[in-house]
Amino acid sequence: MSKKVAVIMGSDSDWPVVKSACAQLKEFGIPYEAHILSAHRTPAEAAAFASGARANGFGAIICAAGMAAHLAGAFAANTTLPVIGIPMKGGAMDGLDALLATVQMPSGIPVATVALNGAKNAAVLAAQILAVSDDALAAKLDAARVAMSEQICAKEAKLQQDLETI
Ligand code: RP5
């Protein structure tokens, strides 16, 4: 039975961005759960979820939050599963505050932080973490890389064609 990924967001307002992480996990065939849990508004529920995550079959946790973005750090404080933080754009600083709050963790409690609104990369990184012990998933990741490479090669060929028409 493959491990699940937990996709946690601090607010339903994060969902339009976070859903692309769920879509990517689904594309890889990775079981996942998505939940709204807040480090500030539901701290006890967030801590309980993080504390029980390993026993409940999760292998990685994605946490998306904006502004005073303590969600990923609060999860990392309560589990030794890998935690991937998505700092969300928005607010007065347009995400710079969330980026720093997510990435600047104290020594010993890491959060692997992706780009602002980097939901797809969060899912790919979670997949890569699970693929360390899952050869079938590793093969899917390899196939995705090949497909990506082919797409870029096709775009390069089209660019060279367009250049001849200038
Ligand atoms: C964070 O505050 C959430 O993750 C969200 O990105 C931001 C704003 O939340 P709402 O006020 O839209 O619920 O905790």
Side-chain angles (χ1 to χ4, degrees):
M1 178 73 177
S2 62
K3 300 277 189 190
K4 294 180 288 184
V5 173
V7 181
I8 312 297
M9 65 209 92
S11 168
D12 63 332
S13 65
D14 300 320
W15 175 240
V17 170
V18 172
K19 69 180 175 188
S20 66
C22 296
Q24 183 63 67
L25 293 168
K26 188 175 177 187
E27 197 172 313
F28 285 136
I30 297 171
Y32 68 90
E33 291 182 20
H35 298 285
I36 298 166
L37 291 166
S38 169
H40 306 118
R41 294 163 172 160
T42 61
E45 290 84 351
F49 190 100
S51 300
R54 186 183 295 277
N56 287 325
F58 293 97
I61 300 174
I62 294 170
C63 292
M67 299 193 286
H70 298 125
L71 185 63
F75 265 71
N78 284 296
T79 181
T80 54
L81 289 174
V83 174
I84 301 164
I86 308 172
M88 299 292 297
K89 283 175 74 73
M93 311 290 284
D94 203 20
L96 180 59
D97 46 357
L99 173 62
L100 296 177
T102 305
V103 77
Q104 293 282 23
M105 287 297 292
S107 179
I109 311 290
V111 167
T113 305
V114 296
L116 288 167
N117 284 9
K120 179 171 178 172
N121 266 6
V124 173
L125 182 55
Q128 291 179 179
I129 290 166
L130 297 187
V132 167
S133 57
D134 183 335
D135 290 344
L137 180 55
K140 289 180 189 176
L141 287 165
D142 287 341
R145 288 284 177 99
V146 170
M148 200 185 313
S149 172
E150 287 172 352
Q151 284 169 11
I152 298 300
C153 288
K155 288 176 183 177
E156 159 65 5
K158 183 174 181 312
L159 173 65
Q160 296 309 317
Q161 274 182 350
D162 287 353
L163 285 171
E164 287 176 15
T165 67
I166 288 175

